[in-house]
Amino acid sequence: MARKQKIAIYPGSFDPPTLGHLDVVRRAAALFDRLVVGVLDNPSKTPLLDSAARVELMVAEVGDLGLDNVEVRAFDGLTIAFASSAGASYIVRGVRSLGDLADETSMAETNRLAAGGGLETVLLPARAELSFIQGRLVREIARGGGKLDRLVSKRVAAAIRR
Ligand code: PNS
């Protein structure tokens, strides 16, 4: 009997996509048959980059990784609904710190129960050298016109400068 494909989503704001996010994409793509990166279009937040720009950047960044089992989609609403529309049984999230772990554990269990039990979250510890990167701080540096290299790719830094 054919093995069921293991499909995961990697949801996030990705405002902006950072080197930490790309590392999670690369590692998750090696764990699952298919990975669907979901860029949240959250109307209640004022983002640094609009949803279309974040999706476009993520597509380009993922393209650079040369992975044929990863796709990028925008989504709004609930992550569990996005998982269902992608046919995914797994959610991937990166964890940088104990603070993240507390939030992610709560989110993972809430999503598992809200989805009726069949949706597992797989947490990937951030690589030590990338674990300091936080979207909120990257946005502050970006808004203040600071240097973004080592935090985001050259492409993302250029998009933010524009
Ligand atoms: O990159 P972020 O901002 O840490 O990602 C957070 C995200 C998008 C995963 C979370 O806010 C989310 O899932 N939002 C969609 C709405 C939802 O499903 N909320 C319930 C989460 S338990």
Side-chain angles (χ1 to χ4, degrees):
M1 203 170 72
R3 184 176 69 85
K4 188 167 168 267
Q5 278 226 326
K6 288 197 184 300
I7 303 175
I9 57 161
Y10 177 30
S13 308
F14 305 115
D15 184 35
T18 66
L19 298 180
H21 294 137
L22 289 178
D23 187 53
V24 171
V25 169
R26 189 182 53 73
R27 290 159 63 201
L31 293 175
F32 294 97
D33 297 311
R34 253 161 50 74
L35 180 71
V36 185
V37 180
V39 179
L40 179 69
D41 186 3
N42 184 348
S44 68
K45 278 192 188 171
T46 309
L48 177 69
L49 299 168
D50 66 24
S51 164
R54 283 179 276 135
V55 170
E56 194 181 315
L57 283 170
M58 203 41 135
V59 167
E61 300 280 277
V62 166
D64 281 354
L65 296 177
L67 301 166
D68 59 8
N69 63 336
V70 182
E71 78 178 274
V72 179
R73 294 190 203 162
F75 80 102
D76 55 17
L78 290 179
T79 286
I80 54 170
F82 176 58
S84 162
S85 75
S89 305
Y90 303 90
I91 298 174
V92 171
R93 293 280 291 166
V95 175
R96 295 159 301 192
S97 63
L98 284 178
D100 273 1
L101 188 60
D103 292 346
E104 294 299 335
T105 305
S106 162
M107 207 151 59
E109 188 60 359
T110 305
N111 281 329
R112 196 180 66 80
L113 293 175
L119 187 60
E120 292 291 355
T121 295
V122 175
L123 300 178
L124 294 181
R127 263 168 50 199
E129 66 271 31
L130 299 175
S131 63
F132 66 94
I133 303 177
Q134 281 189 44
R136 184 177 61 83
L137 302 179
V138 173
R139 288 191 291 279
E140 277 183 25
I141 301 285
R143 288 192 165 111
K147 263 169 77 82
L148 290 169
D149 50 340
R150 308 286 295 279
L151 305 172
V152 301
S153 70
K154 287 196 171 71
R155 172 190 294 116
V156 171
I160 291 170
R161 275 197 301 275
R162 282 198 297 275

